[in-house]
Amino acid sequence: MLKIVVFDCGYGGEFFADQLESEVPVLEIIRVIDWRHANEIQSSPKKARKYAEIALRPYIGKADIIVFANYLLSITSLKYFKRKYKTQNFIGLKLKYPDSFVKYNVLILATKSITKTINYHNFLLHLKRETKTLSLDDWPAKIDDGELSETEVRATIQHFLNDTSFEPKEIILACSQFSDIKEELANTFSYNIKIYDGFSDTIRECCKKLNLRGGLGKRTK
C-alpha cells in the first residue's frame, strides 16, 4: 500500500488527513502532528523547518510522499526539503488562487508569521485583486482546543469589515486549521461567499505523483 505522511502542528493536519483518507482510501496515511511545538512552528519559518525536520527524520526516504499540511512551512521551506532530500517526494499546501474570472474583493484569513513572508507578498501581487488580510493568531489554538465559537467568528469578521468598509465576495484561508470552520465563516455573511483552501489541489497533486486516478485511487496505466 502506498504510504503518505502528513505533517502539521495542529488540528489542520488532522483535518487534511481525514479528507485525504476519505477521497483516496487506498492510501496508508501516517499523521505526524507535533502538538508540543505548535507555537514555535507557527511563529517563524526557521522554527517550523527545524521541528518539521526533527519530527520527519524517521520517515524521510521511507514514505511515498510527505505532505506539509502547514502553509507557513509549505511556502517557505518546501524547496529546502526538496533540495536536501532529493530522493523523497515532498508536497505542501499552497495558497489558493480563486477560480472565478471576475476579480471580486478577497478577504484573506492568515497568521502574522505568514503575512510577514516574501512568499505571501508575492502571492498578493499575483492575485491581482482588491484584498484585505485579517491576522488571527489566537484562532488556530482555539480551534485545536475546540474553543472557537461561531459567535466569536461572526463578531470578529463583522468588526473587521465594519472598520475597513470592505465587502468581500471570496475568502482565502491561509491556515489549515481555518478549513475546519468553513461553515461558521459562511454563516457570517448574508450572501453566498466562496471560500478557498489548498486541500483539494494538494490531494490532486498527491494522486498525480502517485499515478492514481478517481475517487478510489486507482492506478493509471
Side-chain angles (χ1 to χ4, degrees):
M1 181 177 283
L2 296 168
K3 184 183 297 184
I4 290 189
V5 172
V6 175
F7 174 81
D8 193 21
C9 61
Y11 187 67
E14 295 279 13
F15 189 59
F16 173 80
D18 286 345
Q19 187 170 327
L20 178 60
E21 193 171 46
S22 174
E23 295 190 23
V24 196
V26 298
L27 300 175
E28 177 187 353
I29 300 172
I30 299 173
R31 302 157 191 252
V32 181
I33 311 298
D34 190 353
W35 302 92
R36 179 182 177 185
H37 300 107
N39 291 335
E40 291 94 332
I41 291 170
Q42 294 282 26
S43 67
S44 76
K46 185 176 180 180
K47 290 182 180 179
R49 181 187 302 176
K50 170 188 172 182
Y51 288 113
E53 198 160 15
I54 292 171
L56 292 171
R57 197 166 289 150
Y59 306 98
I60 293 174
K62 299 177 182 179
D64 292 284
I65 292 178
I66 293 175
V67 180
F68 295 136
N70 177 287
Y71 288 98
L72 179 63
L73 185 63
S74 298
I75 68 175
T76 61
S77 300
L78 191 58
K79 290 182 179 178
Y80 163 83
F81 280 93
K82 287 182 175 181
R83 285 195 300 265
K84 185 169 182 178
Y85 304 101
K86 292 183 172 60
T87 60
Q88 175 65 63
N89 277 323
F90 289 95
I91 293 175
L93 290 179
K94 298 180 179 67
L95 296 173
K96 172 71 175 175
Y97 288 94
D99 298 325
S100 59
F101 292 104
V102 180
K103 294 185 177 180
Y104 294 121
N105 289 350
V106 176
L107 174 64
I108 304 173
L109 305 185
T111 55
K112 287 182 181 178
S113 57
I114 286 180
T115 63
K116 291 178 180 179
T117 65
I118 294 175
N119 310 68
Y120 182 74
H121 290 282
N122 287 338
F123 171 74
L124 294 181
L125 288 174
H126 287 92
L127 198 57
K128 296 180 180 179
R129 296 171 189 237
E130 185 69 26
T131 66
K132 294 288 183 183
T133 299
L134 176 54
S135 296
L136 299 158
D137 282 18
D138 59 334
W139 277 19
K142 287 186 176 182
I143 292 171
D144 288 344
D145 294 336
E147 296 177 351
L148 184 65
S149 67
E150 183 169 330
T151 300
E152 181 176 350
V153 171
R154 186 186 300 271
T156 302
I157 298 293
Q158 289 181 340
H159 178 74
F160 176 77
L161 295 179
N162 289 339
D163 281 353
T164 58
S165 300
F166 187 72
E167 187 175 350
K169 299 295 184 182
E170 298 172 319
I171 296 176
I172 295 174
L173 306 180
C175 175
S176 57
Q177 277 96 327
F178 297 166
S179 296
D180 192 41
I181 57 167
K182 283 184 177 180
E183 183 177 349
E184 289 84 349
L185 290 169
N187 292 340
T188 297
F189 296 86
S190 59
Y191 52 87
N192 289 331
I193 190 162
K194 182 73 173 179
I195 302 174
Y196 297 98
D197 61 27
F199 283 24
S200 294
D201 285 351
T202 304
I203 291 173
R204 281 194 291 270
E205 187 178 356
C206 284
C207 290
K208 184 177 179 180
K209 281 189 175 291
L210 296 173
N211 295 320
L212 299 173
R213 63 178 174 80
L216 296 179
K218 296 178 180 179
R219 281 279 191 177
T220 58
K221 295 181 179 179

